Amino acid sequence: MCGIWALFGSDECLSVQCLSAMKIAHRGPDAFRFENVNGFTNCCFGFHRLAVVDQLYGMQPIRVRKFPYLWLCYNGEIYNFKQLQKQFGFDYQTLVDGEVILHLYNRGGIEQTASMLDGVFAFILLDTANRKVFLARDTYGVRPLFKVLTDDGFLGVCSEAKGLINLKHSTSLCSKVEPFLPGHYEVLDLKPSGKVASVELVKFHSCKDEPLHVACDTVEALPSGFDLETVKSNIRILFENAVRKRLMAHRRIGCLLSGGLDSSLVAAVLLKLMKEININYPLQTFAIGMENSPDLLAARKVAAHVGSEHHEVILNTEEGLQAIEDVIFSLETYDITTIRASIGMYLVSKYIRKKTDSVVIFSGEGSDELTQGYIYFHKAPSPEEAAEESERLLKELYLFDVLRADRTTAAHGLELRVPFLDHRFTSYYLSLPAELRIPKNGIEKYLLRLSFEDSNLLPKEILWRPKEAFSDGMASVKKSWFSILQDYIDQQVDDLLLEKAAEKYPFNPPKTKESYYYRQIFEKHYSGRSSWLPHYWMPRWVKATDPSARTLKHYKSATQE
């Protein structure tokens, strides 16, 4: 996890512009570099480094002797860089996984490069010999990327929007900062003036398609067919493989643990594999919640079962409320459920950074979208519509859960790893018949739970624990976190302000005092940029006015059963 920033064709002094690059310094607390491009005095790269692999040669932009005309700034991890080296005979100059991007590009161009990368990434690749700039982002947008391109060819690119919004230029940049779409690459021509012109924007991978890099995966062809035993075995093999490949790190590995199915499975498989490869330190797991909250109690049980070094962070209501503005600034969104869930994740990340030496943090993001874990999936009209909704959620992850997970950890210089969003695992799961993937017997994620039932990885009561939203599970059963937030905000927002909300904020107008409060804070930092959020996250097929699971009729907490 790093912070990348680049400008092409700047009219303003670069020493002034580079102040914007410092807005993302939290993403790379270990080192910073600012470098001009030879022959293009108005083009430059900025890089904030979190050193996770190759402590010696990991600074960026990466340039190697073999390709002196290539400049690479990337944020991410390429898990198959060694397999690609073996397959194509690449001669690496460093131990940096991202160096493979230069070799792939030299061998087969940008299309093959983006398609063959097994990992999470956002990158800026400059080819001065052919006067081209390339931007690319992984399938689910696990690593963030924003860009601004003016009509006269000034291009700014950054890991977070906050590094672009204050750039100086002769024409207005106001509404043009936008997220770069996941699963896409863009080709731009670089003119002698340093300005650029977009040539094409190409979608190189869809979540349903088996990725091109499967050809050089460590797990070979799996048995075909959809009989239940084969499917369950394939799910276990691919998920374990997804966790194994993410063990690539020279820094200590930890794991977020809410005690729900997803994070518990990640923690259990992670610990099993760490023992197999003789990692000689205990796995630290981290849970956050109010005293005796469902998440804390469940996480305690999982940690005891798997044998991790467990840390509990007690959420103080006052501390949670005070963090709201910092969280919204970090997130760059005003989505209600994203903000609610981010407060706990932001505070537990803050604890990890201050109190431990864990830096590479595993988490369970992506499972709810992939395996139909949200409670409203019980109301899906048909298995086919449930499957379509699952794909829609995966495509929008970069706006919601993946955004939350990246920004709350990156704000504290941590690197997130999300095995449920492994390209091969997700494409296999989505290839299964729709009927197999729906909730069964009143239980969501039925197939995933069933696949691990005989593994003894988790206690049965955790494996079959009903879904809790992170922001709900960390609160007490008596009063949920969203109720606490709403009670506080009720005193902060006047009724009259809410009545006139649609006039003040015509795009995505706030319907509640809570959403109005968040929007005010968002506009304070990112005025006029409400289009970054196309719509609020909300359950489907139910008449929901609030995104919390606890407001749905299906919800029944464990203490009420």
Side-chain angles (χ1 to χ4, degrees):
M1 196 279 300
C2 305
I4 60 175
W5 182 87
L7 299 185
F8 297 89
S10 174
D11 291 343
E12 297 289 327
C13 171
L14 291 178
S15 59
V16 173
Q17 300 282 48
C18 79
L19 294 173
S20 284
M22 302 316 291
K23 295 283 178 68
I24 59 160
H26 50 273
R27 297 190 69 89
D30 295 333
F32 171 66
R33 178 184 283 176
F34 183 71
E35 190 166 340
N36 286 20
V37 178
N38 305 344
F40 295 90
T41 54
N42 56 359
C43 301
C44 62
F45 288 92
F47 177 66
H48 294 275
R49 185 177 187 213
L50 178 70
V52 172
V53 295
D54 195 348
Q55 312 278 12
L56 190 58
Y57 294 108
M59 275 307 281
Q60 298 186 34
I62 296 174
R63 303 182 68 200
V64 294
R65 284 187 297 272
K66 198 169 183 181
F67 317 117
Y69 49 89
L70 296 182
W71 303 60
L72 172 69
C73 233
Y74 87 105
N75 170 26
E77 298 79 46
I78 312 302
Y79 304 121
N80 63 343
F81 77 109
K82 287 183 179 172
Q83 289 94 304
L84 290 169
Q85 180 184 31
K86 204 171 172 181
Q87 179 155 335
F88 298 122
F90 293 151
D91 180 20
Y92 291 160
Q93 188 177 310
T94 72
L95 300 175
V96 179
D97 51 292
E99 186 188 332
V100 71
I101 295 170
L102 301 176
H103 294 266
L104 279 173
Y105 170 71
N106 179 68
R107 182 185 181 277
I110 190 64
E111 174 90 35
Q112 188 193 60
T113 301
S115 302
M116 288 299 287
L117 298 175
D118 182 8
V120 294
F121 57 85
F123 68 74
I124 308 153
L125 176 62
L126 168 63
D127 178 346
T128 55
N130 294 294
R131 296 247 168 113
K132 297 284 185 193
V133 177
F134 303 96
L135 309 178
R137 191 177 180 191
D138 67 74
T139 304
Y140 297 109
V142 174
R143 291 292 174 260
L145 194 66
F146 284 81
K147 73 167 212 183
V148 58
L149 179 59
T150 65
D151 294 339
D152 67 340
F154 169 53
L155 173 69
V157 188
C158 190
S159 295
E160 297 181 20
K162 56 181 69 70
L164 299 175
I165 57 173
N166 295 318
L167 288 174
K168 304 284 186 288
H169 193 64
S170 51
T171 59
S172 170
L173 298 180
C174 184
S175 61
K176 295 187 178 178
V177 176
E178 57 190 6
F180 188 82
L181 288 174
H184 285 70
Y185 69 80
E186 185 170 12
V187 182
L188 303 106
D189 281 334
L190 179 65
K191 299 172 184 177
S193 64
K195 307 277 189 191
V196 303
S198 182
V199 177
E200 60 177 344
L201 178 68
V202 178
K203 185 171 188 176
F204 66 85
H205 186 234
S206 294
C207 51
K208 279 179 80 172
D209 300 336
E210 185 173 71
L212 204 59
H213 56 69
V214 164
C216 56
D217 199 352
T218 48
V219 171
E220 292 174 9
L222 294 166
S224 57
F226 297 129
D227 66 280
L228 197 55
E229 289 310 309
T230 299
V231 167
K232 284 161 56 180
S233 170
N234 288 348
I235 286 171
R236 287 193 302 272
I237 290 166
L238 288 178
F239 184 68
E240 193 166 297
N241 186 46
V243 176
R244 182 183 289 108
K245 68 178 74 163
R246 283 164 176 77
L247 288 169
M248 181 182 89
H250 294 160
R251 302 288 287 272
R252 185 167 184 163
I253 292 168
C255 188
L256 298 180
L257 180 60
S258 70
L261 174 68
D262 310 326
S263 62
S264 300
L265 263 183
V266 172
V269 172
L270 179 56
L271 201 75
K272 172 179 176 268
L273 296 176
M274 284 171 71
K275 283 176 184 168
E276 282 179 17
I277 61 170
N278 297 316
I279 288 179
N280 60 6
Y281 56 77
L283 173 68
Q284 294 180 327
T285 50
F286 305 95
I288 186 167
M290 292 176 173
E291 206 79 64
N292 295 320
S293 64
D295 277 5
L296 280 189
L297 299 175
R300 211 175 285 165
K301 199 174 283 183
V302 175
H305 183 85
V306 302
S308 64
E309 180 194 302
H310 191 54
H311 296 242
E312 288 185 355
V313 181
I314 304 300
L315 177 66
N316 172 301
T317 302
E318 188 61 34
E319 189 184 12
L321 296 173
Q322 282 178 356
I324 294 172
E325 181 154 355
D326 288 344
V327 166
I328 292 172
F329 177 72
S330 293
L331 292 175
E332 302 173 335
T333 189
Y334 52 94
D335 180 63
I336 305 160
T337 191
T338 303
I339 293 166
R340 286 178 188 167
S342 294
I343 293 166
M345 201 161 178
Y346 182 88
L347 292 173
V348 77
S349 298
K350 184 179 178 181
Y351 170 90
I352 294 168
R353 184 70 189 175
K354 281 188 171 181
K355 306 283 188 183
T356 78
D357 59 346
S358 286
V359 174
V360 175
I361 307 297
F362 279 69
S363 189
E365 270 70 35
S367 176
D368 285 324
E369 292 76 9
L370 176 67
T371 66
Q372 303 183 14
Y374 292 115
I375 285 169
Y376 71 83
F377 272 98
H378 291 281
K379 303 290 185 186
S382 68
E384 290 70 31
E385 284 186 65
E388 282 173 23
E389 173 67 357
S390 183
E391 285 170 44
R392 181 188 74 83
L393 289 170
L394 285 165
K395 285 172 191 166
E396 292 190 345
L397 266 172
Y398 77 104
L399 297 166
F400 300 109
D401 276 24
V402 151
L403 180 149
R404 162 180 58 77
D406 173 81
R407 300 302 197 288
T408 54
T409 49
H412 301 289
L414 304 176
E415 177 175 297
L416 190 80
R417 302 224 169 149
V418 281
F420 275 108
L421 291 176
D422 180 78
H423 300 162
R424 193 168 178 194
F425 179 71
T426 55
S427 65
Y428 175 75
Y429 206 96
L430 293 172
S431 75
L432 299 173
E435 179 63 41
L436 265 183
R437 293 182 272 147
I438 57 171
K440 287 193 172 64
N441 306 332
I443 298 167
E444 62 284 340
K445 301 186 211 176
Y446 187 82
L447 178 60
L448 181 66
R449 297 175 197 269
L450 200 62
S451 299
F452 286 92
E453 190 173 37
D454 300 324
S455 67
N456 197 35
L457 281 169
L458 293 172
K460 289 282 189 283
E461 64 269 29
I462 297 296
L463 188 64
W464 296 95
R465 183 188 176 200
K467 166 73 183 163
E468 279 262 29
F470 179 46
S471 57
D472 293 335
M474 69 179 191
S476 68
V477 173
K478 291 175 188 170
K479 193 163 191 180
S480 65
W481 176 235
F482 82 89
S483 300
I484 293 165
L485 281 168
Q486 287 171 339
D487 287 353
Y488 167 75
I489 290 165
D490 201 45
Q491 309 302 312
Q492 313 298 314
V493 178
D494 190 79
D495 292 346
L496 196 61
L497 287 174
L498 187 59
E499 279 174 35
K500 296 186 175 179
E503 291 172 38
K504 190 172 184 182
Y505 306 121
F507 183 78
N508 280 341
K511 299 278 182 20
T512 64
K513 287 188 176 183
E514 184 187 6
S515 59
Y516 189 96
Y517 184 71
Y518 298 156
R519 183 63 169 272
Q520 271 187 317
I521 296 171
F522 174 85
E523 294 288 343
K524 175 181 164 185
H525 295 288
Y526 307 110
S527 178
R529 295 184 169 87
S530 57
S531 62
W532 290 347
L533 178 70
H535 60 87
Y536 292 106
W537 193 100
M538 204 65 77
R540 292 190 69 192
W541 307 307
V542 289
K543 288 179 181 174
T545 54
D546 191 283
S548 170
R550 289 196 180 184
T551 63
L552 302 182
K553 282 181 183 173
H554 183 90
Y555 177 82
K556 197 159 78 171
S557 82
T559 57
Q560 294 169 311
E561 288 177 350

